[in-house]
Amino acid sequence: MCGITYAKLTLRKKMKVIIGQLTSEEKQRQSRKVFEKLSALKQFQESRRVSVYLSTNDEIDTMPILKNLFETKKEVFVPRYQGKQMEMVKLFSMEDYETLPLTKWNIKQPEWNKPRENALESGGLDLIILPGVAFTADGKRLGHGMGYYDKFLATCLKKQQQKPHLIGVAFNEQLGEDIPTSESDVPLDLVLIEK
């Protein structure tokens, strides 16, 4: 295992413990503050086609973001995974969200075998809201180690003429001084935390 891979693995384990110690009240409190900051951003308000992840208990809660996107009549895209592939597909409403099946990771996801509009084949994205395990203030991001987002972003940047805004959302505890990154890691434009 090379040094960078080991360093990433070690940091993921450390972050899992740190996030595990946050109470659900604290996670909700920080999630609300991050949502307030996000919804005040010009990049957020002006974006028409937005991709957002569907959160787990150990991530910033994206439900308020999702509801706001539908209320403000934006086009919403969410990830769906199969094997080593991830694509962003259209979600139509909160009712549509409610009917999504759960994956083995306990995350709601549109079924792979049901046709849905793919963001990159129908006009691209203006904004991508990203999860992660750890971040730095200057936009470095450590994902969960599967490389889904890095591969997706690489494809996205090739297919779209205009680069989408890349915004990470995180708990205060997930922001560090530095994190190990490799060439395939795409830097974000902004990382939002409560502080």
Side-chain angles (χ1 to χ4, degrees), residues 125-139:
L125 292 162
D126 303 322
L127 167 64
I128 301 175
I129 298 165
L130 296 99
V133 175
F135 299 88
T136 63
D138 64 354

Side-chain angles (χ1 to χ4, degrees), residues 78-82 87 89 96 99-103 108-116:
V78 297
R80 78 171 165 189
Y81 308 87
Q82 182 172 340
E87 58 182 20
V89 294
D96 188 14
T99 64
L100 295 179
L102 283 173
T103 65
K108 281 180 173 277
Q109 169 179 302
E111 290 171 86
W112 195 266
N113 55 3
K114 296 226 171 118
R116 286 205 179 235

Side-chain angles (χ1 to χ4, degrees), residues 68-86:
N68 177 279
L69 290 171
F70 287 124
E71 282 161 13
T72 53
K73 306 277 187 271
K74 296 185 190 295
E75 289 188 72
V76 179
F77 296 86
V78 297
R80 78 171 165 189
Y81 308 87
Q82 182 172 340
K84 298 220 177 288
Q85 254 187 313
M86 175 178 88

Side-chain angles (χ1 to χ4, degrees), residues 66 70 76 90-100 116:
L66 196 60
F70 287 124
V76 179
K90 191 159 204 175
L91 195 62
F92 295 97
S93 61
M94 285 310 291
E95 293 73 42
D96 188 14
Y97 165 77
E98 295 301 336
T99 64
L100 295 179
R116 286 205 179 235

Side-chain angles (χ1 to χ4, degrees), residues 172-184:
N172 297 326
E173 292 74 9
Q174 290 177 283
L175 199 69
E177 288 297 303
D178 195 24
I179 54 177
T181 51
S182 40
E183 305 219 331
S184 60

Side-chain angles (χ1 to χ4, degrees), residues 5-54:
T5 310
Y6 182 73
K8 286 182 173 186
L9 196 67
T10 307
L11 183 54
R12 282 189 190 101
K13 283 183 181 163
K14 182 181 151 195
M15 292 312 300
K16 191 174 170 67
V17 172
I18 291 170
I19 294 167
Q21 290 169 344
L22 296 175
T23 63
S24 49
E25 293 76 27
E26 178 59 15
K27 287 177 188 171
Q28 280 306 312
R29 189 189 68 75
Q30 288 194 38
S31 291
R32 279 193 302 275
K33 292 289 187 196
V34 167
F35 167 65
E36 283 167 23
K37 282 186 170 180
L38 178 69
S39 54
L41 286 178
K42 193 167 158 244
Q43 298 97 304
F44 182 78
Q45 292 166 2
E46 290 178 359
S47 291
R48 302 303 327 139
R49 294 167 61 89
V50 181
S51 147
V52 63
Y53 68 95
L54 301 176

Side-chain angles (χ1 to χ4, degrees), residues 103-157:
T103 65
K104 63 180 181 198
W105 300 295
N106 214 22
I107 303 168
K108 281 180 173 277
Q109 169 179 302
E111 290 171 86
W112 195 266
N113 55 3
K114 296 226 171 118
R116 286 205 179 235
E117 182 184 322
N118 181 324
L120 297 187
E121 288 163 13
S122 63
L125 292 162
D126 303 322
L127 167 64
I128 301 175
I129 298 165
L130 296 99
V133 175
F135 299 88
T136 63
D138 64 354
K140 288 183 183 174
R141 170 186 168 271
L142 177 70
H144 291 279
M146 302 298 281
Y148 285 124
Y149 269 94
D150 291 315
K151 284 181 211 133
F152 174 77
L153 292 174
T155 306
C156 179
L157 297 177

